[in-house]
Amino acid sequence: MQMDQQTLESALQGLGLGGVRYYPRVGSTNDEAARWALEGAPDMALVAADEQTAGRGRLGRRWLTPAGAALAFSLVLYPGQAIPTTLPRLTALGALAVCTALEEHYHLAAQIKWPNDVLVARRKVAGVLVEAQWQGAELGAVVLGIGINVATQAVSAAPTLDYPASTLETELGAAPDRLELLRQVLSASRHWRECVARPEFLQAWEAHLAFRNEWVQVWPGNLTAGQAATPWYEGQICGLAADGALQLYTATGAVVSVEAGEIKLRPKE
Ligand code: BTN
């Protein structure tokens, strides 16, 4: 279904959204949501766009959102007090919401490539970008941005430097309706938000971890040409710590907790 302000508002009724702003074409929905937050956006305010001209991913990477082919949206959230444990969980909240919507409504087995990618058949179909607004040491609003590759045109034909990409159309044989998918992901986000601080959230996150028991390397995320090409860590993914850090079982038998970085499968020797 075609997206516009009115169809979006009526399709998303009853989800507890604080407001909806739709843009046929925008730089980045995360930027619009951040601007709205500075003007006092309500909790669960949604910004959605058909096309992004300056969509971005983690580590300043470009995120492609061609018109009519993808879902690109951002939610404004006010997480309240429990910052240290809740903030890293918000990225997982977005990823988990996409995974559960894909599982429940499309029977796709979706997994989370820690910390923020959603994979189907080991290829990336969605990404999550969380950006926080601080007032000194106080956390103000958080913008939770989600991009989903729906139709085949959503990904560039050129191989990405980041990670092999796919689309829901490729995985399902037909592109799902974007409005329905948006509703399903927002509804799942609402569910996961209610239990974000509870043990079952961590359990669900852990159960969706991609590459469990596989050997991976963790690389600095922002390597520039000429920098030493050495991974920070190498080990088998064995789970998550309570704060959401990735746990690796290393060759020496030690378990290390990884708080940041880029996961790559260890190349075969
Ligand atoms: C990543 O894979 O690194 C994260 C991608 C996040 C993309 C979404 S699309 C909606 C929102 N607006 C942006 O500019 N980025 C996020």
Side-chain angles (χ1 to χ4, degrees):
M1 194 194 271
Q2 202 55 34
M3 279 203 263
D4 58 45
Q5 179 75 33
Q6 219 183 344
T7 45
L8 208 59
E9 276 175 16
S10 59
L12 303 179
Q13 263 174 19
L15 288 174
L17 296 175
V20 176
R21 287 187 183 175
Y22 170 74
Y23 296 85
R25 193 166 199 247
V26 78
S28 154
T29 56
N30 265 31
D31 288 343
E32 289 309 322
R35 256 192 284 276
W36 193 2
L38 290 174
E39 292 163 8
D43 188 51
M44 290 289 283
L46 174 79
V47 175
D50 186 41
E51 179 184 2
Q52 291 188 121
T53 54
R56 61 173 182 278
R58 244 171 33 105
L59 308 162
R61 291 190 179 122
R62 224 180 131 223
W63 182 264
L64 202 64
T65 312
L71 267 183
F73 60 95
S74 306
L75 273 176
V76 178
L77 304 173
Y78 297 92
Q81 294 310 307
I83 294 158
T85 50
T86 310
L87 194 53
R89 287 185 184 216
L90 292 179
T91 302
L93 186 156
L96 210 43
V98 176
C99 286
T100 51
L102 295 182
E103 284 162 6
E104 280 171 25
H105 301 281
Y106 306 92
H107 309 291
L108 285 174
Q111 291 188 306
I112 300 172
K113 176 174 174 276
W114 186 93
N116 71 318
D117 294 342
V118 176
L119 308 184
V120 170
R122 297 168 79 94
R123 291 189 296 176
K124 177 166 172 173
V125 296
V128 177
L129 179 66
V130 166
E131 294 174 316
Q133 287 181 355
W134 296 89
Q135 280 113 31
E138 292 257 307
L139 183 63
V142 168
V143 173
L144 168 63
I146 301 184
I148 306 179
N149 302 331
V150 179
T152 46
Q153 308 91 287
V155 294
S156 140
T160 52
L161 294 173
D162 181 5
Y163 192 75
S166 186
T167 66
L168 297 181
E169 182 174 7
T170 309
E171 302 306 324
L172 290 166
D177 181 85
R178 286 184 302 157
L179 274 181
E180 271 173 34
L181 178 63
L182 177 58
R183 188 179 167 88
Q184 291 151 354
V185 174
L186 288 171
S187 164
S189 307
R190 197 176 171 195
H191 163 76
W192 288 118
R193 191 183 185 194
E194 276 160 22
C195 55
V196 71
R198 295 209 288 262
E200 61 258 39
F201 182 89
L202 193 70
Q203 282 158 15
W205 182 5
E206 203 165 35
H208 282 86
L209 269 189
F211 313 136
R212 221 33 209 267
N213 302 321
E214 291 186 59
W215 281 91
V216 297
Q217 294 175 330
V218 182
W219 290 79
N222 47 3
L223 262 191
T224 53
Q227 271 186 311
T230 337
W232 277 336
Y233 303 100
E234 193 167 276
Q236 285 170 292
I237 294 186
C238 56
L240 291 170
D243 62 357
L246 185 72
Q247 295 197 300
L248 297 183
Y249 188 63
T250 67
T252 62
V255 173
V256 292
S257 280
V258 177
E259 281 176 10
E262 203 59 7
I263 303 265
K264 293 191 176 155
L265 286 169
R266 186 175 72 170
K268 296 219 166 38
E269 281 157 10

